[in-house]
Amino acid sequence: MLKQIKYFQSVVKHRSFTEAGEEHYISQSAISQQIKSLENELGVELLKRSKRSFTLTPAGEYFYNKSLVLVADLEAICRETQHIAGYRGELLKIGVLRCYSGNEFQSTVAVFSAQFPDVFVEISHGNHDELYDKLRHDEIDIVLNDQRRVFSDKYYNIILSEQEYSIEISAKNPIAELECVSIEDLKNIPCILISNKEQQETERKFYQNDLGFPSEIIFVECLEDARMLLIQGKGFMPVEGSKKYVQLGAVSKQIMLTRNDKPIIRKYCAFIKQNNPIKHTKEFIEILKNEFAKE
């Protein structure tokens, strides 16, 4: 009955037998048959069907609401039972940029966890070189990183996104009125970077020498601290993330960054070792690619 209950929940959630079937990788007719079997077992009608739609009966609405609590409790009981027995399930270790502000990664973890609830996703945050070293020493299985070096044939190098680089700056700064800003025009405004102490010099060299940032650099250790400085007008922050980046309303503004009157292009990639034996890495990558492909 548990599987039938989950099918029923999906039908109600999506308001569609077809979409519920797609979620569970079975046909629309199979979903419909399973819901009918559930109704027969309960001896009540849960859905009032018409030609192209349905509504919940009072009994169906009650059963739906209570079943959500029931399934959540059952899943929690199963997890705790496994924990007591010492079972930890499969582990997938993933590294992501400390400063990454796009929402594709979080969306990927949510979708992946729904499809593979027995796999625990362990997240490590770091700067580019930190993540590369962890991948090289098998401390993590997948890395979501920016491309700073030539691709190596020791890894699967999956380009997820090529996008114009931007900065975030306080909406009160006059520069916020511009559609784009050159690196040279930022020379008198501090650049706020997120890094631990060990990686600060590496990050400083990359932003000043490789990207050409001419301004003073202020280091903080987390995104929240960076934004607190930013909204106080203490500097600007390079945006590490996608075009789906969520801005802070009227507090800050995102502006395209240029060099020599041309946009700066950054690539974000997923990296896996060629000989990686961990299960579900390919499934995670496919979901990640789909999330990045969404507009």
PDB file of all heavy atoms in Angstrom, residues 134-155:
ATOM      1  N   LYS A 134      41.518  18.291  -3.329  1.00  0.00           N
ATOM      2  CA  LYS A 134      40.688  17.251  -2.710  1.00  0.00           C
ATOM      3  C   LYS A 134      40.259  16.210  -3.734  1.00  0.00           C
ATOM      4  O   LYS A 134      40.211  15.018  -3.439  1.00  0.00           O
ATOM      5  CB  LYS A 134      39.463  17.888  -2.047  1.00  0.00           C
ATOM      6  CG  LYS A 134      39.777  18.631  -0.770  1.00  0.00           C
ATOM      7  CD  LYS A 134      38.502  19.167  -0.117  1.00  0.00           C
ATOM      8  CE  LYS A 134      38.812  19.850   1.203  1.00  0.00           C
ATOM      9  NZ  LYS A 134      37.587  20.353   1.862  1.00  0.00           N
ATOM     10  N   LEU A 135      39.935  16.662  -4.933  1.00  0.00           N
ATOM     11  CA  LEU A 135      39.567  15.721  -5.996  1.00  0.00           C
ATOM     12  C   LEU A 135      40.764  14.867  -6.386  1.00  0.00           C
ATOM     13  O   LEU A 135      40.653  13.649  -6.562  1.00  0.00           O
ATOM     14  CB  LEU A 135      39.042  16.489  -7.210  1.00  0.00           C
ATOM     15  CG  LEU A 135      38.558  15.659  -8.395  1.00  0.00           C
ATOM     16  CD1 LEU A 135      37.348  14.820  -8.017  1.00  0.00           C
ATOM     17  CD2 LEU A 135      38.220  16.553  -9.583  1.00  0.00           C
ATOM     18  N   ARG A 136      41.917  15.500  -6.494  1.00  0.00           N
ATOM     19  CA  ARG A 136      43.134  14.791  -6.890  1.00  0.00           C
ATOM     20  C   ARG A 136      43.520  13.724  -5.875  1.00  0.00           C
ATOM     21  O   ARG A 136      44.031  12.659  -6.240  1.00  0.00           O
ATOM     22  CB  ARG A 136      44.265  15.812  -7.039  1.00  0.00           C
ATOM     23  CG  ARG A 136      45.544  15.273  -7.651  1.00  0.00           C
ATOM     24  CD  ARG A 136      46.400  16.405  -8.200  1.00  0.00           C
ATOM     25  NE  ARG A 136      46.665  17.429  -7.199  1.00  0.00           N
ATOM     26  CZ  ARG A 136      47.737  17.422  -6.404  1.00  0.00           C
ATOM     27  NH1 ARG A 136      48.615  16.449  -6.504  1.00  0.00           N
ATOM     28  NH2 ARG A 136      47.927  18.390  -5.529  1.00  0.00           N
ATOM     29  N   HIS A 137      43.233  13.973  -4.579  1.00  0.00           N
ATOM     30  CA  HIS A 137      43.600  13.026  -3.530  1.00  0.00           C
ATOM     31  C   HIS A 137      42.421  12.143  -3.092  1.00  0.00           C
ATOM     32  O   HIS A 137      42.457  11.534  -2.023  1.00  0.00           O
ATOM     33  CB  HIS A 137      44.153  13.787  -2.321  1.00  0.00           C
ATOM     34  CG  HIS A 137      45.467  14.452  -2.581  1.00  0.00           C
ATOM     35  ND1 HIS A 137      45.591  15.811  -2.795  1.00  0.00           N
ATOM     36  CD2 HIS A 137      46.717  13.939  -2.705  1.00  0.00           C
ATOM     37  CE1 HIS A 137      46.859  16.109  -3.001  1.00  0.00           C
ATOM     38  NE2 HIS A 137      47.567  14.995  -2.962  1.00  0.00           N
ATOM     39  N   ASP A 138      41.361  12.100  -3.933  1.00  0.00           N
ATOM     40  CA  ASP A 138      40.202  11.225  -3.699  1.00  0.00           C
ATOM     41  C   ASP A 138      39.467  11.542  -2.405  1.00  0.00           C
ATOM     42  O   ASP A 138      38.812  10.675  -1.818  1.00  0.00           O
ATOM     43  CB  ASP A 138      40.638   9.741  -3.688  1.00  0.00           C
ATOM     44  CG  ASP A 138      41.214   9.307  -5.021  1.00  0.00           C
ATOM     45  OD1 ASP A 138      40.641   9.696  -6.058  1.00  0.00           O
ATOM     46  OD2 ASP A 138      42.230   8.593  -5.029  1.00  0.00           O
ATOM     47  N   GLU A 139      39.500  12.786  -1.975  1.00  0.00           N
ATOM     48  CA  GLU A 139      38.759  13.195  -0.792  1.00  0.00           C
ATOM     49  C   GLU A 139      37.329  13.579  -1.140  1.00  0.00           C
ATOM     50  O   GLU A 139      36.460  13.621  -0.269  1.00  0.00           O
ATOM     51  CB  GLU A 139      39.460  14.368  -0.103  1.00  0.00           C
ATOM     52  CG  GLU A 139      40.841  14.011   0.451  1.00  0.00           C
ATOM     53  CD  GLU A 139      41.536  15.225   1.042  1.00  0.00           C
ATOM     54  OE1 GLU A 139      40.835  16.142   1.501  1.00  0.00           O
ATOM     55  OE2 GLU A 139      42.783  15.243   1.043  1.00  0.00           O
ATOM     56  N   ILE A 140      37.078  13.888  -2.406  1.00  0.00           N
ATOM     57  CA  ILE A 140      35.729  14.143  -2.901  1.00  0.00           C
ATOM     58  C   ILE A 140      35.574  13.458  -4.254  1.00  0.00           C
ATOM     59  O   ILE A 140      36.552  13.149  -4.931  1.00  0.00           O
ATOM     60  CB  ILE A 140      35.406  15.650  -3.015  1.00  0.00           C
ATOM     61  CG1 ILE A 140      36.530  16.409  -3.714  1.00  0.00           C
ATOM     62  CG2 ILE A 140      35.122  16.261  -1.666  1.00  0.00           C
ATOM     63  CD1 ILE A 140      36.293  17.898  -3.800  1.00  0.00           C
ATOM     64  N   ASP A 141      34.322  13.217  -4.650  1.00  0.00           N
ATOM     65  CA  ASP A 141      34.040  12.461  -5.877  1.00  0.00           C
ATOM     66  C   ASP A 141      33.730  13.366  -7.071  1.00  0.00           C
ATOM     67  O   ASP A 141      34.063  13.037  -8.205  1.00  0.00           O
ATOM     68  CB  ASP A 141      32.853  11.519  -5.642  1.00  0.00           C
ATOM     69  CG  ASP A 141      33.067  10.616  -4.450  1.00  0.00           C
ATOM     70  OD1 ASP A 141      34.128   9.964  -4.395  1.00  0.00           O
ATOM     71  OD2 ASP A 141      32.189  10.567  -3.562  1.00  0.00           O
ATOM     72  N   ILE A 142      33.057  14.478  -6.803  1.00  0.00           N
ATOM     73  CA  ILE A 142      32.659  15.415  -7.859  1.00  0.00           C
ATOM     74  C   ILE A 142      32.983  16.828  -7.394  1.00  0.00           C
ATOM     75  O   ILE A 142      32.790  17.158  -6.224  1.00  0.00           O
ATOM     76  CB  ILE A 142      31.138  15.323  -8.154  1.00  0.00           C
ATOM     77  CG1 ILE A 142      30.729  13.899  -8.551  1.00  0.00           C
ATOM     78  CG2 ILE A 142      30.745  16.311  -9.256  1.00  0.00           C
ATOM     79  CD1 ILE A 142      29.223  13.732  -8.674  1.00  0.00           C
ATOM     80  N   VAL A 143      33.448  17.657  -8.316  1.00  0.00           N
ATOM     81  CA  VAL A 143      33.719  19.058  -7.995  1.00  0.00           C
ATOM     82  C   VAL A 143      32.936  19.960  -8.944  1.00  0.00           C
ATOM     83  O   VAL A 143      32.927  19.735 -10.155  1.00  0.00           O
ATOM     84  CB  VAL A 143      35.227  19.372  -8.112  1.00  0.00           C
ATOM     85  CG1 VAL A 143      35.462  20.870  -8.179  1.00  0.00           C
ATOM     86  CG2 VAL A 143      35.982  18.804  -6.925  1.00  0.00           C
ATOM     87  N   LEU A 144      32.252  20.942  -8.379  1.00  0.00           N
ATOM     88  CA  LEU A 144      31.665  22.032  -9.157  1.00  0.00           C
ATOM     89  C   LEU A 144      32.605  23.220  -8.992  1.00  0.00           C
ATOM     90  O   LEU A 144      32.732  23.778  -7.907  1.00  0.00           O
ATOM     91  CB  LEU A 144      30.264  22.376  -8.637  1.00  0.00           C
ATOM     92  CG  LEU A 144      29.617  23.650  -9.195  1.00  0.00           C
ATOM     93  CD1 LEU A 144      29.505  23.583 -10.704  1.00  0.00           C
ATOM     94  CD2 LEU A 144      28.256  23.886  -8.569  1.00  0.00           C
ATOM     95  N   ASN A 145      33.273  23.614 -10.077  1.00  0.00           N
ATOM     96  CA  ASN A 145      34.371  24.564  -9.979  1.00  0.00           C
ATOM     97  C   ASN A 145      34.412  25.471 -11.197  1.00  0.00           C
ATOM     98  O   ASN A 145      33.814  25.159 -12.233  1.00  0.00           O
ATOM     99  CB  ASN A 145      35.696  23.800  -9.864  1.00  0.00           C
ATOM    100  CG  ASN A 145      36.708  24.485  -8.982  1.00  0.00           C
ATOM    101  OD1 ASN A 145      36.583  25.666  -8.684  1.00  0.00           O
ATOM    102  ND2 ASN A 145      37.724  23.743  -8.574  1.00  0.00           N
ATOM    103  N   ASP A 146      35.113  26.591 -11.078  1.00  0.00           N
ATOM    104  CA  ASP A 146      35.382  27.408 -12.248  1.00  0.00           C
ATOM    105  C   ASP A 146      36.619  26.862 -12.952  1.00  0.00           C
ATOM    106  O   ASP A 146      37.443  26.193 -12.338  1.00  0.00           O
ATOM    107  CB  ASP A 146      35.575  28.879 -11.865  1.00  0.00           C
ATOM    108  CG  ASP A 146      36.703  29.088 -10.863  1.00  0.00           C
ATOM    109  OD1 ASP A 146      36.985  28.146 -10.095  1.00  0.00           O
ATOM    110  OD2 ASP A 146      37.285  30.179 -10.836  1.00  0.00           O
ATOM    111  N   GLN A 147      36.730  27.129 -14.255  1.00  0.00           N
ATOM    112  CA  GLN A 147      37.890  26.633 -14.998  1.00  0.00           C
ATOM    113  C   GLN A 147      39.010  27.665 -14.953  1.00  0.00           C
ATOM    114  O   GLN A 147      38.861  28.789 -15.441  1.00  0.00           O
ATOM    115  CB  GLN A 147      37.542  26.338 -16.453  1.00  0.00           C
ATOM    116  CG  GLN A 147      38.713  25.711 -17.208  1.00  0.00           C
ATOM    117  CD  GLN A 147      38.488  25.611 -18.696  1.00  0.00           C
ATOM    118  OE1 GLN A 147      37.470  26.034 -19.205  1.00  0.00           O
ATOM    119  NE2 GLN A 147      39.468  25.071 -19.405  1.00  0.00           N
ATOM    120  N   ARG A 148      40.149  27.263 -14.384  1.00  0.00           N
ATOM    121  CA  ARG A 148      41.302  28.162 -14.312  1.00  0.00           C
ATOM    122  C   ARG A 148      42.531  27.563 -14.989  1.00  0.00           C
ATOM    123  O   ARG A 148      43.548  28.224 -15.094  1.00  0.00           O
ATOM    124  CB  ARG A 148      41.642  28.488 -12.856  1.00  0.00           C
ATOM    125  CG  ARG A 148      40.555  29.260 -12.132  1.00  0.00           C
ATOM    126  CD  ARG A 148      41.047  29.744 -10.788  1.00  0.00           C
ATOM    127  NE  ARG A 148      39.991  30.386 -10.033  1.00  0.00           N
ATOM    128  CZ  ARG A 148      40.148  30.906  -8.817  1.00  0.00           C
ATOM    129  NH1 ARG A 148      41.330  30.861  -8.232  1.00  0.00           N
ATOM    130  NH2 ARG A 148      39.129  31.456  -8.194  1.00  0.00           N
ATOM    131  N   ARG A 149      42.445  26.314 -15.384  1.00  0.00           N
ATOM    132  CA  ARG A 149      43.593  25.669 -16.009  1.00  0.00           C
ATOM    133  C   ARG A 149      43.111  24.825 -17.179  1.00  0.00           C
ATOM    134  O   ARG A 149      41.916  24.559 -17.333  1.00  0.00           O
ATOM    135  CB  ARG A 149      44.338  24.791 -14.999  1.00  0.00           C
ATOM    136  CG  ARG A 149      43.437  23.878 -14.192  1.00  0.00           C
ATOM    137  CD  ARG A 149      44.222  22.860 -13.383  1.00  0.00           C
ATOM    138  NE  ARG A 149      45.131  23.451 -12.437  1.00  0.00           N
ATOM    139  CZ  ARG A 149      44.799  23.758 -11.177  1.00  0.00           C
ATOM    140  NH1 ARG A 149      43.569  23.538 -10.744  1.00  0.00           N
ATOM    141  NH2 ARG A 149      45.687  24.272 -10.362  1.00  0.00           N
ATOM    142  N   VAL A 150      44.047  24.422 -18.013  1.00  0.00           N
ATOM    143  CA  VAL A 150      43.720  23.580 -19.166  1.00  0.00           C
ATOM    144  C   VAL A 150      43.155  22.249 -18.677  1.00  0.00           C
ATOM    145  O   VAL A 150      43.627  21.679 -17.687  1.00  0.00           O
ATOM    146  CB  VAL A 150      44.977  23.347 -20.034  1.00  0.00           C
ATOM    147  CG1 VAL A 150      44.666  22.400 -21.188  1.00  0.00           C
ATOM    148  CG2 VAL A 150      45.521  24.663 -20.561  1.00  0.00           C
ATOM    149  N   PHE A 151      42.133  21.750 -19.372  1.00  0.00           N
ATOM    150  CA  PHE A 151      41.526  20.478 -18.992  1.00  0.00           C
ATOM    151  C   PHE A 151      42.553  19.352 -19.026  1.00  0.00           C
ATOM    152  O   PHE A 151      43.378  19.269 -19.934  1.00  0.00           O
ATOM    153  CB  PHE A 151      40.367  20.120 -19.923  1.00  0.00           C
ATOM    154  CG  PHE A 151      39.136  20.959 -19.711  1.00  0.00           C
ATOM    155  CD1 PHE A 151      38.293  21.248 -20.772  1.00  0.00           C
ATOM    156  CD2 PHE A 151      38.800  21.434 -18.451  1.00  0.00           C
ATOM    157  CE1 PHE A 151      37.150  22.010 -20.585  1.00  0.00           C
ATOM    158  CE2 PHE A 151      37.655  22.191 -18.251  1.00  0.00           C
ATOM    159  CZ  PHE A 151      36.831  22.479 -19.325  1.00  0.00           C
ATOM    160  N   SER A 152      42.471  18.458 -18.044  1.00  0.00           N
ATOM    161  CA  SER A 152      43.356  17.296 -17.984  1.00  0.00           C
ATOM    162  C   SER A 152      42.597  16.054 -18.418  1.00  0.00           C
ATOM    163  O   SER A 152      41.411  15.887 -18.088  1.00  0.00           O
ATOM    164  CB  SER A 152      43.871  17.108 -16.540  1.00  0.00           C
ATOM    165  OG  SER A 152      44.485  15.839 -16.393  1.00  0.00           O
ATOM    166  N   ASP A 153      43.277  15.156 -19.143  1.00  0.00           N
ATOM    167  CA  ASP A 153      42.621  13.929 -19.580  1.00  0.00           C
ATOM    168  C   ASP A 153      42.515  12.897 -18.456  1.00  0.00           C
ATOM    169  O   ASP A 153      42.027  11.786 -18.663  1.00  0.00           O
ATOM    170  CB  ASP A 153      43.338  13.318 -20.790  1.00  0.00           C
ATOM    171  CG  ASP A 153      44.810  13.017 -20.520  1.00  0.00           C
ATOM    172  OD1 ASP A 153      45.246  13.114 -19.350  1.00  0.00           O
ATOM    173  OD2 ASP A 153      45.527  12.683 -21.484  1.00  0.00           O
ATOM    174  N   LYS A 154      42.956  13.267 -17.249  1.00  0.00           N
ATOM    175  CA  LYS A 154      42.771  12.389 -16.088  1.00  0.00           C
ATOM    176  C   LYS A 154      41.365  12.511 -15.511  1.00  0.00           C
ATOM    177  O   LYS A 154      40.977  11.742 -14.639  1.00  0.00           O
ATOM    178  CB  LYS A 154      43.792  12.723 -14.994  1.00  0.00           C
ATOM    179  CG  LYS A 154      45.239  12.439 -15.382  1.00  0.00           C
ATOM    180  CD  LYS A 154      46.168  12.793 -14.236  1.00  0.00           C
ATOM    181  CE  LYS A 154      47.622  12.514 -14.608  1.00  0.00           C
ATOM    182  NZ  LYS A 154      48.549  12.873 -13.502  1.00  0.00           N
ATOM    183  N   TYR A 155      40.601  13.499 -16.017  1.00  0.00           N
ATOM    184  CA  TYR A 155      39.284  13.790 -15.466  1.00  0.00           C
ATOM    185  C   TYR A 155      38.234  13.840 -16.573  1.00  0.00           C
ATOM    186  O   TYR A 155      38.547  14.095 -17.740  1.00  0.00           O
ATOM    187  CB  TYR A 155      39.289  15.138 -14.729  1.00  0.00           C
ATOM    188  CG  TYR A 155      40.310  15.222 -13.631  1.00  0.00           C
ATOM    189  CD1 TYR A 155      41.587  15.700 -13.893  1.00  0.00           C
ATOM    190  CD2 TYR A 155      40.019  14.807 -12.338  1.00  0.00           C
ATOM    191  CE1 TYR A 155      42.543  15.767 -12.898  1.00  0.00           C
ATOM    192  CE2 TYR A 155      40.968  14.875 -11.329  1.00  0.00           C
ATOM    193  CZ  TYR A 155      42.228  15.346 -11.613  1.00  0.00           C
ATOM    194  OH  TYR A 155      43.179  15.411 -10.628  1.00  0.00           O
TER     195      TYR A 155
END
